[in-house]
Each structure stands twice: as structure tokens, then as C-alpha cells.
Amino acid sequence: MAATLRDVADRAQVSVRTVSNVVSGYEHVSEKMRQRVLRAIEELGYIPNPVARTLRTGKTGLLSLVVPEIDVPYFSQLAREVIDAAADLGFQVMIDQTGHDHERERQLLRGGGRRNLFDGMLFAPLATGDELRDVDPARSSPLILLGEHVFDRRFDHVAIDNVVAAHDATTHLLDRGRTRIAAIGAQPKEMYATPLQRTEGFRKALDEHGLEPVNALQATAAHYGRADGYAATASLLRESPRPDAIFCYSDLLAMGAIRAVFDAGLRVPEDVAIIGIDDIEEGRYSRPSLSTVSLDTPFIARTAVSRLAARIENPGLPAEEFVAPHKLLARESTG
């Protein structure tokens, strides 16, 4: 027969409550006691019963992470960091994706029958706007917003300062002597917060250097993939005079831009300097290596998970905004 909580307690010579605290990830257990219980669990092959835990505590130990696209490198890295941070606090994570779909985001926010599966949700929206205004924080499950959103004092929000990050990237190009700077990443139809903020930072940097943004050099991108970066850059290079630098709103856009410059018979960075945002691994090993704005993804994940855990225990906490640090990494693509 399968080992029970009582069997583990007897083997470790501790109370059943102590075993339950260790299994639940309760932090106020001495390390010596925790190790004793963990050894007993391993020796007996004990497997916690999630149904019993839910009935006993009212909590499932599960968190939901919702991202637009799991195969985008930034969101893959974020998911890995969230899973690690959650495990440290005794939670498991289930991942879902929206595919940039408004209705899908509405469904996940409303929860329906899924709501009781999770103790809380980490939500990285792209399409969400009015949908959030339909969610009552007092009546919904604990929710932390990541990235795309403007802090409205209703929900906790963890993100970088997109205006400053874009400003830093553009200033780096200006400091390299580039004066005809293009930007790729404005959204053609939707009024998403992140591209709007990055456009603001781009234009602010140009203004500080006495330059007017050239409308023909501000390319839209329906998505932030390599193909979108390639297509936008190919179009920009047909402008006369062509840009001498391109600020891409994501590293994947930048990877496509580098290929488009190469296919046009030009060189990076000699003819066109290129910089992105995200610091994905691919950019570190490309040739030329990609200059970028690196986001502190571990900080975002740890802060979001710890805040969600606190909100699960105390739903009445006032909403806060947490700004993650970032840093500019100059590599070969900007010389």
C-alpha cells in the first residue's frame, strides 16, 4: 500500500503537521527538520495527495502562467524562471498561451471552471485592454500582470521600464554616430502598451539629440518574429537615403533585420547598425553578435511569484508596481 502522511511522520519521528508543513512548502520549518522529513519521504516513496491537500487547506498548490507564445525565446526563459521560483515556494506551474487572441485572453481571465484549479495566475497579456477593466480584483483569483500593461493601481504589475529601455537602445546608436535611425516594432492596428512605450523612448532619444523622427523609417510589425524583422528591414533599405541604424523592439526582429541587410549586399554594423531588446541566447552566438537591452528575467519571475504567493495568503494587499532592472549590452552588431 502507498505510504501515508502518518507513515512519513512515524519514520521521521515528527508530527503529522510537521510533515504537512514540509510537503506544503511552509518556510518556517528548521532546515534540520526539513531534511529529516525529506529523507523519510524518499525512503518510503511517499507521494502527496493533491486532492487531500486541497480539501485540507483550500489550496491546490498550482499556479497558472499565461503567455502569448511559449515558443518565443523570451517567454520560454520567463516560464523556466517562473517554474524554478514557484518550486522554491512549494508551488507547481501550469502554462497556457493565448496566441495574441482577445477572446482567449478573456476566457482565461474569467476563469470559469478552471479558476478553482489554481491558487493564482501570472498573466503576460498582449491583446488585453478593456478585458482587464471587466475583472473585479475583489472577486477574482489572485492575479499578477507581467509586461504588457500600464499600471492602473488595480492589479500588481511586474515589468521593465519600456520607455527607458528604448531610450537607452536608441541613445547607444546615436552615440555610435548614427543619425538616420529606423525603428521596427510599432503595431499596425492595436494600441498595445509595450510598442507605444518603446516608440516613446525612441523618439525621446532622437529629440534629445536634435533629430526629428522620420515617419518613413518607423516600420510596423504585426508580430515580433524573424520574418517580420526581415520584411520590415527589406522595405526600409529601399528608402533613399537608407537608414544607417535600426532599433528593433525585440531580438527576434533584429535577427531578421541582420539577415535582410546581408541579403541586400550590405554589412552589419559598417553600413547598418542593429540593436534589439530581450538578450535571447541566439543573439549572443549570431554573427555578428547582437547588441541588445538585457531584461532581468530572473528578477521578474522571482518578484512576480513571491508577490503572488503573498497575495494568495493576503488577498487584501494593495496593488503595487515592480520595475525590473535592465542593462544595455553592446556587441558586434553596433560596432
Side-chain angles (χ1 to χ4, degrees):
M1 294 181 61
T4 66
L5 208 67
R6 167 61 65 187
D7 295 332
V8 175
D10 291 343
R11 174 66 66 90
Q13 296 184 323
V14 298
S15 68
V16 171
R17 179 177 292 276
T18 298
V19 176
S20 178
N21 287 341
V22 172
V23 171
S24 302
Y26 185 65
E27 60 184 25
H28 298 298
V29 178
S30 72
E31 186 59 27
K32 181 179 180 181
M33 190 73 72
R34 186 186 306 277
Q35 291 303 321
R36 205 158 89 194
V37 172
L38 291 176
R39 279 196 302 271
I41 288 174
E42 184 176 359
E43 290 169 1
L44 294 173
Y46 171 71
I47 300 175
N49 185 330
V51 175
R53 174 183 176 176
T54 301
L55 292 173
R56 186 175 65 254
T57 67
K59 297 181 175 62
T60 66
L62 289 176
L63 305 180
S64 173
L65 171 64
V66 180
V67 298
E69 296 173 294
I70 192 62
D71 56 346
V72 170
Y74 169 74
F75 291 117
S76 297
Q77 180 183 355
L78 177 66
R80 183 176 67 246
E81 297 289 352
V82 164
I83 289 170
D84 289 345
D88 289 342
L89 296 180
F91 291 100
Q92 292 181 304
V93 179
M94 183 175 290
I95 302 172
D96 210 331
Q97 64 177 359
T98 63
H100 305 263
D101 184 85
H102 286 268
E103 185 54 35
R104 180 64 176 158
E105 290 196 344
R106 288 190 188 97
Q107 291 173 356
L108 292 171
L109 280 170
R110 287 196 296 262
R114 292 165 53 93
R115 182 172 298 166
N116 293 331
L117 292 175
F118 308 111
D119 295 332
M121 177 184 289
L122 302 162
F123 199 88
L126 280 186
T128 301
D130 293 338
E131 296 93 323
L132 275 172
R133 284 187 282 275
D134 296 334
V135 179
D136 182 358
R139 298 171 62 88
S140 64
S141 300
L143 173 66
I144 308 292
L145 295 173
L146 306 176
E148 173 71 39
H149 183 56
V150 175
F151 181 55
D152 61 5
R153 302 187 183 281
R154 298 175 67 235
F155 299 99
D156 294 304
H157 183 220
V158 185
I160 67 164
D161 188 325
N162 279 298
V163 176
V164 176
H167 175 275
D168 291 349
T170 309
T171 299
H172 174 68
L173 296 173
L174 292 162
D175 289 344
R176 290 294 188 271
R178 310 297 170 133
T179 57
R180 189 169 167 80
I181 302 176
I184 301 175
Q187 294 290 297
K189 296 180 181 179
E190 303 283 0
M191 301 298 285
Y192 299 154
T194 293
L196 289 173
Q197 292 164 353
R198 291 182 182 179
T199 298
E200 180 184 346
F202 167 71
R203 293 178 175 175
K204 181 179 179 182
L206 293 180
D207 181 67
E208 290 174 354
H209 285 72
L211 297 174
E212 288 287 334
V214 180
N215 288 336
L217 296 184
Q218 296 179 66
T220 61
H223 300 288
Y224 281 7
R226 300 170 188 84
D228 304 274
Y230 185 99
T233 301
S235 177
L236 288 169
L237 294 177
R238 291 193 287 268
E239 293 292 323
S240 183
R242 67 170 181 259
D244 60 7
I246 303 175
F247 163 47
C248 297
Y249 291 12
S250 80
D251 279 359
L252 287 184
L253 287 171
M255 298 308 300
I258 289 176
R259 182 69 197 192
V261 172
F262 175 81
D263 285 354
L266 301 171
R267 300 165 299 168
V268 177
E270 292 84 355
D271 299 310
V272 184
I274 295 175
I275 191 170
I277 291 183
D278 282 339
D279 189 23
I280 65 174
E281 187 175 25
E282 179 181 346
R284 302 170 205 168
Y285 296 98
S286 63
R287 185 174 183 183
S289 57
L290 179 63
S291 294
T292 188
V293 176
S294 178
L295 315 182
D296 194 337
T297 311
F299 174 94
I300 294 172
R302 288 195 306 271
T303 302
V305 170
S306 64
R307 182 63 177 180
L308 184 56
R311 184 161 292 286
I312 289 168
E313 294 302 320
N314 182 6
L317 289 173
E320 291 188 37
E321 181 171 36
F322 302 87
V323 179
H326 67 266
K327 62 182 177 181
L328 191 137
L329 300 176
R331 299 192 182 116
E332 295 167 345
S333 68
T334 56

